[in-house]
Amino acid sequence: MKKFFLLGVSQLSLLFLFAQKEGDEAMIAKFKEEGLQHSQVMQHAFYLTDVSGPRLTASPGFMNAAQWAKGKLESWGLKNVKIESWGEFGKGWQQERCYVAMTKPYYVPFVAQPKAWTGSTPGNKTMNADVVLIKATDSAGLLQYAGKLKDKIVMLWSNDTLKNGFKADAARYTDEELDKMAKAEPQQPGQQGNRFQGNPSLRQTFQARMAFTRALNNFYLQEGPALVLSSSRGNEGTIFVQSGGQYAKDAPEAPATVVLSSDDYLRVQRLANAGIPVQIEADVRTKFLTKDLNGYNVIGEIPGTDPKLKDQVVMLGGHLDSWHSGTGATDNAAGCAVMMEAIRLLKASGFQPRRTIRIALWGGEEEGLFGSRNYVKMHVGDPATMQLQPLQSKISAYYNLDNGTGKIRGVYLQGNEQVRPIFAKWLEPFKDLGASTLTISNTGSTDHVSFDAVGVPGFQFIQDEIEYDTRTHHSNMDTYDHLVPDDLKQAATIVATFVYNTSQRDEMMPRKELPKPREGRQGF
Amino acid sequence: MKKFFLLGVSQLSLLFLFAQKEGDEAMIAKFKEEGLQHSQVMQHAFYLTDVSGPRLTASPGFMNAAQWAKGKLESWGLKNVKIESWGEFGKGWQQERCYVAMTKPYYVPFVAQPKAWTGSTPGNKTMNADVVLIKATDSAGLLQYAGKLKDKIVMLWSNDTLKNGFKADAARYTDEELDKMAKAEPQQPGQQGNRFQGNPSLRQTFQARMAFTRALNNFYLQEGPALVLSSSRGNEGTIFVQSGGQYAKDAPEAPATVVLSSDDYLRVQRLANAGIPVQIEADVRTKFLTKDLNGYNVIGEIPGTDPKLKDQVVMLGGHLDSWHSGTGATDNAAGCAVMMEAIRLLKASGFQPRRTIRIALWGGEEEGLFGSRNYVKMHVGDPATMQLQPLQSKISAYYNLDNGTGKIRGVYLQGNEQVRPIFAKWLEPFKDLGASTLTISNTGSTDHVSFDAVGVPGFQFIQDEIEYDTRTHHSNMDTYDHLVPDDLKQAATIVATFVYNTSQRDEMMPRKELPKPREGRQGF
């Protein structure tokens, strides 16, 4: 009797399952109702940002968020939820105090934050020193400063000027821009908008600048200044802050290095350049963390229920790690919150997926897509050799969201023309929400390329930029308040639909030709 | 011989003088050449802002700037240059350290600056305390917090939300806007765009809010929190910071109060509101200065040379004092730098003015136009009684610049229709520089109204806003880099021309009817 009853439920499920076809209107209406009217995406974002804090790879903030996400996914009934190591990353790091102010010719507190993996000012207390302005553009020019920087506060001459804000910080794609994307010609395989293409002098300039940066960093390592001031393209209190040191296990510790708001930096520079003595006091304390050198991803599943398809997988993801001066709200708590919300919408709809649905929240993206690349290398295939594992043929598609808080305007087809009619149909219910553009173009710099590199269809959505490039991307202003709730709700609803459709369609998603091994490159 | 020679020079000067008539094209060409091609306005601005520092009334920064300006005016050969007291102001104040950071649930340094005339955190060292979020909208609501705030860090619930920047921060007047200004109807005498006009409920809301602010400040004075956090309409690291305490000689000292960037404030509020304990560490040190309680203006003259007109005066000015979180670059180093540069252009042109030209750089403007009001009361007349002094009938006009860094687009006629044709003619050579609009409207809130109040023609120029309202006006971003050099050059050239024309024209500038005594109001 009990058994009969169970069988009965199972049969009912099965009936329900077969009613849930790709493109099912009732199901999409459910996603819209729950996703747009009863969204929890901002609550997820709150826990990922405000509560967890900055999520630099291998930092306590990252682990806070990973633990919270794991718990949340489990609370929704996901299976095989785990925080999975993808191998050795290196040292964790966090700031523990950052105070920088000018004390001469008068007092002004600065907007400043340390670059990741840089050290502390000496003495574990507030120190005060003269500013030395370095005017050099190559390593030969640095020689005149040898022996003169010890215990000083140093800064490099900057040619930046501050621009008044005649252009709005935030923007959405115009119809013209979307139309141009839709009409784009196919790019060469692997081509992802190399910025130096057809411009060798730009490449040369870039390489010279990189060489000088390396020379300068080595010079600082030798000379031992108390603090390095660094400028930022941001202004008005917005600073863009990434890494200034090395996270490798045995790497030397870079001197304390803080990024100043350009308003502050240029003021100090003008004063020093006019021969007016500038003194700065600072108390910068950072901590390198060596207890666990591993990097991690968070993985969880809604198991498939169709006996023939359940070992096939639909994947979706964003990266959980962030830079540290904000809380990585748009880069990429937004993506993680949306992907988690999409999972919640799928669970809330009560449907049983035919294929297994797997969410991945990656670590180490900011340092080189490490989380997704190593996941792919461990479980899917190695793009260096193109030795593939069985899972490679079973992941129908991977969907990624990592271009900020903006709503979805369409999909980058990543050169896969065969998916165009499929996605076109899937986007139809979302035309009124602004999502209808399909571009054959590739986009790069985020985790879908790890899958694309081994022949698994990997897609990043086209998103409105909002303030991504101007204010939030890698800045201290990448915080919860810069998220656009309605946009995230729309995105979660569309992602849920895409994952649903991919799970329920009879065939796997069509694939491009298998890439060639990346000869001469180890791994990625 | 010597005498003869001197007489000869004097006669030559006189000949030269008579060639220099109102509107003289060669002279205006000289101003343009020197003012637009060889400007020193940004050098003046550099010394007023970067070098002098913030110029809060009665602060060391104000006196730095006053001394520098005095020296500069003297170096150009001005006469009767003095730093003149306008009477008792009250205590000076400056910040000496400002460090505020969240330490729990994780570390983040905040963008923060103290409100003027507020105190220090206890203990002369970095302190750490829990945050208490106060949810009250009237004084009754405050009672539940009585006895609970001592040594805590407190903040009041804010209903603010952060807006994404879909509108550009910087703007210039459009042709349509200028056209509308040009066609404006005359306002009632003394009417300066009272924001409550015809909106009594707005007035009520404002008054209730002011009453609550007073109640809250008194409550804080009684309860003695270690630090008050205050929100600001700014975001992205821009904070707007004015006064939080009292400068009167015997006023009690308000507790330490800092303004946070709204991004930081709202984060703390969300965490505290969600029941997540927040701890903040802070080291805020401010200093009240009581050695000299006087306020000061800087005054200097180019004496007139026409025997019949030299006791008549043309005045020009801006205010030297500023708020303290930036360096008052657009409010109002811009105005002072432009007025000083106009003086330099006049001196560099080699002309001998018929009337005396007097520049005034006012103090105490931000606290209530104190410098100009008291100057007028001491030397010109008292608007309360309309008892006038002889100088009242001898100041032909006073020109003011205090609406930011934007170039001059025209003049507010301040209800004086008779000057329209005169200014129209004077602006003709500047049409190609964008200055041609004359509006009959009044504008208020700056020092020309002190002259207007006693019947002396006082004018403020129409200036493009640029980022005045959005970024710089009373903010930590009111710094040198936010000045627009070309705009300041244009303004100085036009002001030099207006002052020149006013000095050289045969008649004094036409006047409006004398205002009535301001019954029931003492002084201003």
Side-chain angles (χ1 to χ4, degrees):
Chain A
M1 182 69 189
K2 201 176 176 192
K3 198 175 180 188
F4 178 76
F5 174 75
L6 281 170
L7 277 172
V9 168
S10 176
Q11 279 158 346
L12 276 172
S13 299
L14 232 69
L15 279 174
F16 186 54
L17 171 75
F18 290 124
Q20 292 169 326
K21 291 279 190 190
E22 176 188 358
D24 182 90
E25 285 181 20
M27 186 59 65
I28 293 168
K30 271 192 185 182
F31 296 149
K32 281 191 174 180
E33 168 67 19
E34 182 71 17
L36 302 177
Q37 305 305 325
H38 310 287
S39 177
Q40 295 182 15
V41 71
M42 291 306 288
Q43 283 138 272
H44 313 331
F46 170 64
Y47 280 95
L48 289 169
T49 60
D50 284 343
V51 179
S52 298
R55 302 179 306 284
L56 193 72
T57 299
S59 73
F62 179 89
M63 286 312 287
N64 290 343
Q67 293 290 0
W68 173 82
K70 177 172 180 280
K72 200 75 191 171
L73 294 174
E74 284 169 342
S75 79
W76 294 333
L78 266 69
K79 304 300 177 196
N80 305 320
V81 183
K82 56 191 166 192
I83 298 175
E84 182 181 77
S85 167
W86 45 259
E88 184 172 307
F89 167 72
K91 291 183 270 193
W93 176 94
Q94 68 181 8
Q95 60 172 321
E96 305 210 322
R97 181 170 287 181
C98 184
Y99 166 65
V100 184
M102 185 168 82
T103 52
K104 266 188 190 167
Y106 49 89
Y107 183 85
V108 54
F110 286 155
V111 177
Q113 289 214 37
K115 287 191 174 187
W117 294 290
T118 61
S120 304
T121 48
N124 217 27
K125 60 177 185 181
T126 302
M127 50 81 62
N128 195 305
D130 295 327
V131 168
V132 179
L133 175 59
I134 296 176
K135 290 181 173 175
T137 52
D138 55 28
S139 31
L142 290 174
L143 292 179
Q144 61 183 301
Y145 299 97
K148 295 176 184 167
L149 305 186
K150 182 81 184 151
D151 296 332
K152 300 291 186 189
I153 293 180
V154 302
M155 65 192 297
L156 183 71
W157 176 268
S158 163
N159 287 319
D160 285 353
T161 53
L162 201 137
K163 308 278 184 302
N164 294 100
F166 283 102
K167 189 161 181 279
D169 286 336
R172 294 189 181 280
Y173 281 120
T174 62
D175 289 346
E176 291 68 34
E177 288 167 332
L178 291 170
D179 194 51
K180 197 177 158 194
M181 292 172 88
K183 289 175 178 157
E185 293 291 318
Q187 295 164 288
Q188 294 304 309
Q191 180 189 333
Q192 284 157 18
N194 182 324
R195 58 181 157 160
F196 301 128
Q197 213 135 30
N199 196 337
S201 85
L202 189 64
R203 179 192 293 271
Q204 258 179 355
T205 306
F206 177 78
Q207 286 173 338
R209 203 168 53 218
M210 292 305 286
F212 180 56
T213 299
R214 280 191 299 273
L216 188 68
N217 287 343
N218 285 334
F219 188 65
Y220 287 155
L221 268 177
Q222 289 162 30
E223 298 291 325
L227 177 63
V228 178
L229 307 180
S230 180
S231 67
S232 158
R233 69 181 175 87
N235 59 34
E236 297 152 353
T238 299
I239 50 177
F240 293 82
V241 190
Q242 296 181 243
S243 174
Q246 299 169 53
Y247 47 78
K249 189 171 50 182
D250 304 317
E253 191 174 310
T257 306
V258 292
V259 176
L260 296 190
S261 177
S262 63
D263 323 73
D264 294 330
Y265 194 90
L266 294 174
R267 181 178 352 182
V268 174
Q269 176 170 293
R270 276 190 304 275
L271 288 168
N273 194 48
I276 295 166
V278 180
Q279 277 186 16
I280 282 181
E281 65 179 15
D283 186 358
V284 179
R285 303 183 197 182
T286 66
K287 193 172 186 178
F288 288 81
L289 307 159
T290 53
K291 202 171 163 191
D292 181 356
L293 298 171
N294 287 323
Y296 294 92
N297 299 320
V298 179
I299 312 283
E301 288 182 351
I302 309 175
T305 55
D306 184 325
K308 288 182 191 160
L309 301 182
K310 67 183 184 182
D311 64 340
Q312 293 181 7
V313 184
V314 189
M315 288 192 70
L316 69 163
H319 69 88
L320 193 60
D321 68 302
S322 77
W323 289 107
H324 59 288
S325 69
T327 51
T330 69
D331 186 18
N332 184 17
C336 292
V338 162
M339 292 317 195
M340 289 180 71
E341 175 69 357
I343 287 287
R344 191 188 70 80
L345 297 180
L346 292 166
K347 289 296 290 183
S349 74
F351 105 110
Q352 302 289 327
R354 297 178 74 185
R355 292 182 178 82
T356 291
I357 293 168
R358 184 178 298 159
I359 185 172
L361 308 177
W362 311 112
E365 194 272 353
E366 296 295 0
E367 294 79 21
L369 316 187
F370 290 150
S372 60
R373 283 178 167 174
N374 283 294
Y375 178 89
V376 165
K377 203 169 166 184
M378 288 191 296
H379 300 297
V380 188
D382 185 339
T385 59
M386 284 309 280
Q387 285 187 324
L388 305 177
Q389 299 185 42
L391 185 60
Q392 193 273 352
S393 63
K394 290 179 181 160
I395 303 176
S396 180
Y398 169 74
Y399 299 106
N400 195 73
L401 201 79
D402 184 22
N403 288 353
T405 189
K407 69 180 174 187
I408 289 176
R409 307 305 303 271
V411 192
Y412 294 97
L413 299 181
Q414 210 74 18
N416 186 341
E417 190 59 49
Q418 298 174 85
V419 295
R420 190 189 290 267
I422 301 167
F423 284 169
K425 204 165 163 52
W426 291 0
L427 282 177
E428 265 171 26
F430 301 102
K431 272 190 182 160
D432 60 329
L433 296 177
S436 59
T437 300
L438 296 171
T439 178
I440 194 65
S441 297
N442 299 328
T443 186
S445 301
T446 190
D447 295 298
H448 70 291
V449 303
S450 303
F451 291 85
D452 188 61
V454 294
V456 173
F459 302 102
Q460 159 71 34
F461 293 92
I462 302 168
Q463 296 176 258
D464 277 335
E465 285 235 338
I466 315 293
E467 300 168 329
Y468 200 54
D469 199 47
T470 53
R471 285 283 167 198
T472 64
H473 186 216
H474 301 173
S475 87
N476 61 335
M477 291 303 139
D478 197 6
T479 55
Y480 177 93
D481 291 292
H482 293 266
L483 297 173
V484 183
D486 285 345
D487 283 40
L488 299 180
K489 293 174 192 173
Q490 183 256 28
T493 307
I494 293 176
V495 170
T497 303
F498 268 57
V499 170
Y500 167 80
N501 283 335
T502 310
S503 152
Q504 302 310 90
R505 90 190 290 268
D506 292 329
E507 305 83 24
M508 299 238 316
M509 296 297 282
R511 296 183 168 209
K512 296 186 289 188
E513 207 180 318
L514 207 60
K516 292 194 177 67
R518 294 192 176 180
E519 289 161 32
R521 288 181 63 177
Q522 287 301 310
F524 289 83
Chain B
M1 181 68 191
K2 201 177 177 191
K3 197 172 181 187
F4 179 73
F5 175 75
L6 281 170
L7 277 170
V9 168
S10 178
Q11 280 157 345
L12 277 172
S13 301
L14 234 69
L15 279 174
F16 188 54
L17 172 73
F18 289 124
Q20 293 168 327
K21 291 278 188 191
E22 176 187 359
D24 183 89
E25 285 180 21
M27 187 59 67
I28 293 168
K30 271 192 185 182
F31 296 148
K32 281 191 174 178
E33 168 67 18
E34 183 70 18
L36 302 176
Q37 305 305 327
H38 310 287
S39 176
Q40 295 182 15
V41 71
M42 291 306 289
Q43 282 139 272
H44 313 331
F46 170 62
Y47 280 95
L48 290 169
T49 59
D50 284 343
V51 179
S52 297
R55 301 178 307 283
L56 193 72
T57 298
S59 72
F62 179 89
M63 286 312 288
N64 290 343
Q67 293 290 0
W68 173 81
K70 178 172 180 279
K72 199 76 192 170
L73 294 173
E74 284 170 342
S75 79
W76 294 332
L78 266 68
K79 305 299 177 195
N80 305 321
V81 182
K82 55 192 165 191
I83 298 175
E84 182 181 76
S85 169
W86 45 259
E88 184 172 307
F89 167 74
K91 291 181 271 194
W93 177 94
Q94 67 181 8
Q95 59 172 321
E96 306 210 321
R97 182 170 286 181
C98 184
Y99 167 65
V100 184
M102 185 168 82
T103 52
K104 267 186 190 170
Y106 49 89
Y107 182 86
V108 54
F110 285 156
V111 176
Q113 289 214 36
K115 288 191 174 186
W117 294 290
T118 61
S120 304
T121 48
N124 217 27
K125 60 178 183 180
T126 303
M127 50 81 61
N128 194 305
D130 295 327
V131 168
V132 178
L133 175 60
I134 296 178
K135 290 180 173 176
T137 53
D138 55 27
S139 33
L142 290 174
L143 293 179
Q144 61 182 300
Y145 299 98
K148 295 177 182 165
L149 305 186
K150 182 82 184 150
D151 297 332
K152 300 290 188 191
I153 293 180
V154 303
M155 65 191 297
L156 183 69
W157 177 267
S158 163
N159 286 318
D160 285 353
T161 53
L162 201 137
K163 308 278 184 302
N164 294 101
F166 283 101
K167 189 160 181 279
D169 286 338
R172 295 189 180 280
Y173 281 121
T174 62
D175 290 345
E176 292 68 34
E177 287 167 334
L178 291 170
D179 194 52
K180 198 177 158 194
M181 291 172 89
K183 289 177 179 156
E185 293 292 317
Q187 294 164 288
Q188 295 303 308
Q191 180 189 333
Q192 284 157 16
N194 182 324
R195 58 181 157 160
F196 302 126
Q197 212 135 30
N199 196 336
S201 86
L202 189 64
R203 180 191 293 271
Q204 258 179 354
T205 306
F206 177 78
Q207 286 173 338
R209 203 167 55 217
M210 293 305 287
F212 180 57
T213 299
R214 280 191 299 273
L216 188 66
N217 287 343
N218 286 333
F219 188 65
Y220 286 155
L221 268 176
Q222 288 162 30
E223 298 291 325
L227 177 64
V228 178
L229 307 181
S230 181
S231 67
S232 157
R233 68 181 176 88
N235 57 34
E236 297 153 352
T238 298
I239 50 177
F240 293 84
V241 190
Q242 297 180 242
S243 175
Q246 299 169 51
Y247 48 78
K249 190 170 51 182
D250 304 317
E253 190 175 311
T257 306
V258 292
V259 175
L260 298 190
S261 177
S262 62
D263 323 72
D264 294 330
Y265 195 89
L266 295 173
R267 180 177 355 180
V268 173
Q269 176 170 292
R270 276 191 303 276
L271 287 168
N273 193 49
I276 295 166
V278 180
Q279 276 187 15
I280 282 180
E281 66 180 14
D283 186 358
V284 179
R285 303 183 197 181
T286 67
K287 193 171 185 178
F288 288 82
L289 306 159
T290 53
K291 201 171 163 190
D292 181 358
L293 298 170
N294 286 323
Y296 293 92
N297 299 321
V298 180
I299 312 282
E301 287 182 352
I302 309 175
T305 54
D306 184 327
K308 289 182 190 160
L309 302 181
K310 67 182 184 183
D311 65 340
Q312 293 180 8
V313 183
V314 189
M315 287 192 72
L316 67 165
H319 69 89
L320 194 60
D321 69 301
S322 77
W323 289 107
H324 58 288
S325 68
T327 51
T330 69
D331 185 19
N332 184 18
C336 293
V338 162
M339 293 315 194
M340 289 181 70
E341 175 70 356
I343 288 287
R344 192 189 71 80
L345 297 179
L346 292 165
K347 290 296 290 183
S349 74
F351 106 109
Q352 302 288 328
R354 299 179 72 185
R355 293 182 177 82
T356 292
I357 294 168
R358 186 178 298 161
I359 185 172
L361 308 178
W362 311 112
E365 194 271 355
E366 295 296 0
E367 294 79 22
L369 316 186
F370 290 152
S372 61
R373 283 178 167 174
N374 282 297
Y375 177 89
V376 166
K377 202 170 167 185
M378 288 191 297
H379 300 297
V380 188
D382 184 340
T385 60
M386 284 309 281
Q387 286 189 323
L388 304 177
Q389 299 185 41
L391 186 59
Q392 193 273 351
S393 63
K394 290 180 184 160
I395 303 176
S396 180
Y398 169 75
Y399 299 106
N400 195 73
L401 201 79
D402 183 23
N403 287 354
T405 188
K407 70 180 174 187
I408 289 177
R409 307 304 303 271
V411 191
Y412 293 96
L413 298 181
Q414 210 75 17
N416 185 342
E417 190 59 48
Q418 298 172 83
V419 295
R420 190 190 292 268
I422 301 167
F423 285 170
K425 205 165 162 51
W426 292 0
L427 283 177
E428 265 169 27
F430 300 101
K431 273 191 182 159
D432 61 328
L433 296 177
S436 59
T437 300
L438 296 171
T439 178
I440 194 65
S441 298
N442 298 330
T443 187
S445 301
T446 191
D447 295 299
H448 70 290
V449 302
S450 303
F451 291 84
D452 188 61
V454 294
V456 173
F459 303 101
Q460 160 70 33
F461 293 92
I462 302 168
Q463 296 176 258
D464 277 334
E465 286 234 337
I466 314 293
E467 300 169 329
Y468 201 54
D469 199 47
T470 52
R471 284 285 165 197
T472 64
H473 186 217
H474 300 173
S475 86
N476 61 336
M477 291 303 139
D478 196 7
T479 54
Y480 178 92
D481 290 292
H482 293 266
L483 297 173
V484 183
D486 284 346
D487 283 39
L488 299 181
K489 293 174 193 174
Q490 184 256 29
T493 306
I494 293 176
V495 171
T497 302
F498 267 58
V499 170
Y500 167 80
N501 283 335
T502 310
S503 152
Q504 301 310 89
R505 89 190 288 268
D506 292 330
E507 305 83 25
M508 298 235 321
M509 296 298 282
R511 296 183 169 209
K512 296 185 288 188
E513 207 179 319
L514 208 59
K516 293 195 175 66
R518 295 192 176 180
E519 288 161 32
R521 286 181 64 176
Q522 287 302 310
F524 289 85

